[in-house]
Amino acid sequence: MSGYRFSFPACLIAGKCRIDADDVLRLRRYTFPEGIGSFDDALTLLALNDHCPEHSPEWVAYFVESLTMFLVHGCVPRGVVDEAKAGWLMRTIADDCVVRSPAELELLLHVIEVAPEAPESLSAFTLDQIRLALQADARGAYHAIRPASPGIAAHDLAYIWRVLRSAVERGRLVLSPLEVVVLREIDGLASASAHHPAWREMIDAIVTLDRPRHALRSAPWLVTNDVHPSSEELAA
């Protein structure tokens, strides 16, 4: 989003390449007094996050909560994250399937937590950030915040349970084939001797949903169509 054109006062914030608590107050008061109401508004916040590498805690909280409420409750279908919303989010916060910043990673997790249900493509994409962090050419926001460990550590487990907590049913972890594939690939990349004991317990509790084979995807996570939803198409 390097070529994004900001209006006032976002242009002033972008010009100094950092966002502090006072900037968040200005955005609340002048730019988004009614909150995020369209995909154009959402793109402004995402562009500011990309353009300003210095983020205050106030900005991260505002960024995550505002975009989560818009995506889950502020655009149709309200109260649901469907494939269209999930595809837009994945395309927008990632480059080559890799989430760029910790704030965008937190947004991804919070959307999954707040939505009553999220598509398996979104949860698998979120889990896949661990796989990318374990590869030899480790990259991405999750790699940047992950404590160094050759195996699956407590930090990784906490992240995974934020994604899969709604999948627990009577002591079983009920997952789609797509989610299972990602977890198996993570298991293959990490060092078994360095695993947290709870990792093996989690893997042993997995039960796979009975889905047709076409539920498994061999294509990249992100939809290649570059057209973004418009406010008229997806917003109320």
Side-chain angles (χ1 to χ4, degrees):
M1 295 186 186
S2 58
Y4 192 89
R5 306 187 78 174
F6 297 100
S7 59
F8 180 85
C11 59
L12 300 180
I13 299 170
K16 62 180 185 176
C17 296
R18 59 183 172 83
I19 310 177
D20 56 31
D22 289 337
D23 296 323
V24 173
L25 183 59
R26 292 186 188 96
L27 290 170
R28 287 183 183 275
R29 182 175 297 173
Y30 300 113
T31 308
F32 307 116
E34 304 297 328
I36 304 303
S38 70
F39 280 91
D40 288 340
D41 291 347
L43 287 174
T44 296
L45 283 194
L46 287 157
L48 272 174
N49 188 73
D50 278 351
H51 199 80
C52 301
E54 295 183 39
H55 300 155
S56 68
E58 292 83 1
W59 164 254
V60 175
Y62 174 67
F63 175 84
V64 169
E65 289 297 335
S66 297
L67 288 173
T68 298
M69 290 305 295
F70 170 68
L71 285 170
V72 178
H73 300 294
C75 59
V76 294
R78 298 185 188 278
V80 175
V81 175
D82 60 3
E83 288 288 354
K85 290 183 184 180
W88 180 88
L89 180 59
M90 290 186 285
R91 288 195 305 271
T92 308
I93 66 173
D95 293 326
D96 295 326
C97 308
V98 183
V99 177
R100 293 182 297 263
S101 75
E104 289 165 319
L105 187 65
E106 183 60 29
L107 167 63
L108 185 62
L109 288 164
H110 198 52
V111 166
I112 291 174
E113 289 174 328
V114 170
E117 186 175 346
E120 65 184 55
S121 59
L122 191 64
S123 57
F125 170 81
T126 309
L127 294 171
D128 200 50
Q129 303 307 305
I130 300 178
R131 181 186 66 82
L132 294 167
L134 289 170
Q135 289 183 328
D137 59 339
R139 59 198 189 280
Y142 188 74
H143 168 61
I145 65 173
R146 182 181 186 267
S149 172
I152 301 302
H155 181 276
D156 302 308
L157 289 168
Y159 177 94
I160 291 168
W161 282 119
R162 289 185 69 182
V163 180
L164 300 179
R165 62 187 178 83
S166 64
V168 177
E169 180 182 319
R170 298 180 181 180
R172 302 176 304 170
L173 190 57
V174 184
L175 304 180
S176 71
L178 182 59
E179 293 163 332
V180 173
V181 164
V182 176
L183 290 179
R184 297 296 184 192
E185 290 183 353
I186 291 170
D187 191 41
L189 284 170
S191 172
S193 62
H195 284 334
H196 190 286
W199 168 252
R200 186 51 51 195
E201 294 175 10
M202 188 188 74
I203 293 296
D204 291 342
I206 290 175
V207 175
T208 307
L209 287 172
D210 185 15
R211 298 273 183 96
R213 289 186 62 83
H214 69 257
L216 286 170
R217 295 186 178 186
S218 58
W221 299 115
L222 305 186
V223 179
T224 56
N225 185 353
D226 289 331
V227 178
H228 294 295
S230 66
S231 302
E232 291 76 20
E233 290 171 330
L234 292 181

